[in-house]
Each structure stands twice: as structure tokens, then as C-alpha cells.
Amino acid sequence: MIRLDFKMVSLYSASNGDLYILPRGISKKWGGAIIDLELPHFLESGYTDQMLESDVKQVVDDWNVMEPSEELKPSVIEKVVKVKGYVKAVKNMKYVSLEWNVEEGYTVIPTINSGKNGFDHLEDESISCGINLGAGALAQAIRTAIALSK
């Protein structure tokens, strides 16, 4: 069953400004864990706010459209950037979690890269965008969250 009351997206920002956007889904095998899906979108550095919002909204629509891979290694981002080992693959990247739920709309959460422990959410710096977004509001929230991520 596809849950439609909430959705999640992973955004990985490379040091050169390239952006990898991955929908997420719920794994039955791993007890309901939410895992990146192998449906990556890529925006080359220099992308516009309109391109960013369009791709992100499309990826949000891809929430849970397929069962995540039963194998956790290599991770989707390792496959996408063609680097073996999660820590190496994301070494010079920033990660932002984008969440949407039916009651609150979009929330964008910056993170801190904790090396072997992955990314820790900076909940205190979350950006709530709400349900009715004006043009550019989501893109601005994402760009701010990327800037706040460490």
C-alpha cells in the first residue's frame, strides 16, 4: 500500500553545486525503514529555481512508487556517483531532507555530515514552507538548507 499522507526526498549537493535528488520509499524487508529509491534526478550546477522546483516536485510524486532495493549496500548515492563506500561517496557533499505531509506541507531539513554515522538532522534549523507555496519559495528553502548544512 502506498502511503499518501507523507512523502520524503533526499537531496545531495556536491561541492561543485551539482544536485542529486532521490525519492524515498518504505521497505517491507527492513521493517518499514525509509530508504532512497533507484530513481535519481540530476541537476547540473547553475540550475534555476524553476528547474529545482520542477524536479523536486516530480521526485516527491515518485515517493514509494516501488519497493526499495533489499540490498542496503551499495547505497543508491554510491551507485549514482559511482564511488564505492557511502562515506567516500558523500565525503564532500551536503545532504538535505525534504518532507511533505498533508497537514503541514513542505519542511526542508539541513544536516551535518557525521562521517561514518551518516548525516544528522539539524531539526532546530528546519524550514517550514507550508502547503500553499508561492513561486520560488521551495527552491529558496532548499538553497537555504543546503547553505546551513555542514
Side-chain angles (χ1 to χ4, degrees), residues 5-16:
D5 55 340
F6 77 92
K7 300 177 181 186
M8 296 177 76
V9 170
S10 292
L11 297 104
Y12 291 90
S13 178
S15 58
N16 67 356

Side-chain angles (χ1 to χ4, degrees), residues 28-93:
K28 293 175 191 163
K29 177 180 179 179
W30 298 107
I34 297 174
I35 300 171
D36 291 339
L37 300 178
E38 294 186 35
L39 297 170
H41 283 240
F42 173 75
L43 288 174
E44 191 171 0
S45 178
Y47 53 85
T48 66
D49 285 356
Q50 184 178 9
M51 293 164 65
L52 176 58
E53 287 190 356
S54 175
D55 271 33
V56 166
K57 288 177 181 177
Q58 185 176 358
V59 173
V60 167
D61 288 343
D62 287 341
W63 159 256
N64 211 31
V65 295
M66 61 189 267
E67 180 71 17
S69 172
E70 291 189 358
E71 301 302 319
L72 298 179
K73 293 183 181 180
S75 66
V76 175
I77 194 66
E78 288 173 76
K79 293 175 187 177
V80 170
V81 299
K82 298 175 177 69
V83 174
K84 188 174 180 179
Y86 182 78
V87 172
K88 288 181 183 175
V90 300
K91 182 178 181 183
N92 294 313
M93 289 192 181

